[in-house]
Amino acid sequence: MLRKMEQTKARLAGKHQALDTFINARQELLVEYIRLSTNKKTLPTPQELSNFCSQLVDYVSAAHFEIYDYVMAAYEAARGNGRTLAERIYPRLKKGTVQALDFHDKYAQTDEDGLLELDQDLSQLGEMLEERFSLEDRLVFAVSLLNHLNTSEPA
């Protein structure tokens, strides 16, 4: 996932300030996810888990309220079919959002006794994040392609 994220970051760097901020937040979330999910020797502290949960919700919120609005506006401005895009990708993103919020609700305020299913839940969250990152990339790259087709700039 990290390698793919670096490729995405390289392709999108400098295109739009909101995208740069979003990609950086996504990378920070992924690094923290990897740290939590690969440390099998000790459980995360409740504070570490709470911080990760906050980071997760901030990321999901930024995606919905900043990036997706930008993407839809850009798609519409390029005379793309934003409705088709929304019908194909948004329901899958929404499902991931619900999963992220459920994870937050379960672990944001838990003690060590509430961590019995953490490994399994982190694994499922990781699968969702991988799919979500791919879907988000598709959205952003679709806008980039439309912008390229509507200008004379080289790709």
Side-chain angles (χ1 to χ4, degrees):
M1 269 198 291
L2 273 175
R3 184 177 306 130
K4 192 171 186 177
M5 186 169 298
E6 285 298 323
Q7 292 169 345
T8 298
K9 190 173 184 177
R11 287 179 68 186
L12 296 176
K15 302 262 184 203
H16 192 280
Q17 177 61 37
L19 286 175
D20 289 344
T21 302
F22 179 70
I23 295 296
N24 288 334
R26 184 163 86 172
Q27 186 173 12
E28 291 171 12
L29 176 69
L30 181 58
V31 167
E32 186 61 20
Y33 167 80
I34 290 170
R35 191 185 73 72
L36 285 177
S37 64
T38 58
N39 186 1
K40 302 294 184 192
K41 293 181 182 176
T42 61
L43 290 172
T45 67
Q47 185 61 45
E48 289 172 325
L49 203 48
S50 178
N51 290 344
F52 174 74
C53 287
S54 294
Q55 202 175 7
L56 180 63
V57 168
D58 289 347
Y59 172 77
V60 169
S61 298
H64 280 283
F65 298 114
E66 294 175 27
I67 299 303
Y68 300 163
D69 288 344
Y70 162 76
V71 167
M72 289 305 292
Y75 225 82
E76 294 298 330
R79 294 181 185 86
N81 190 346
R83 183 177 164 149
T84 299
L85 182 73
E87 289 172 353
R88 288 183 182 170
I89 295 179
Y90 281 5
R92 293 167 63 191
L93 289 169
K94 187 174 182 178
K95 181 179 173 188
T97 298
V98 169
Q99 187 177 348
L101 295 176
D102 288 348
F103 184 93
H104 172 273
D105 291 347
K106 185 172 183 177
Y107 291 107
Q109 301 295 323
T110 191
D111 56 18
E112 289 185 14
D113 293 335
L115 302 179
L116 296 174
E117 298 172 338
L118 180 61
D119 281 343
Q120 178 183 349
D121 290 342
L122 278 171
S123 178
Q124 291 171 353
L125 183 67
E127 291 172 12
M128 180 279 293
L129 289 173
E130 185 171 18
E131 178 183 23
R132 183 182 194 93
F133 297 163
S134 177
L135 292 169
E136 290 168 348
D137 288 350
R138 286 176 57 193
L139 284 174
V140 173
F141 292 138
V143 169
S144 296
L145 178 60
L146 282 173
N147 289 341
H148 169 68
L149 292 175
N150 287 325
T151 67
S152 60
E153 295 177 22

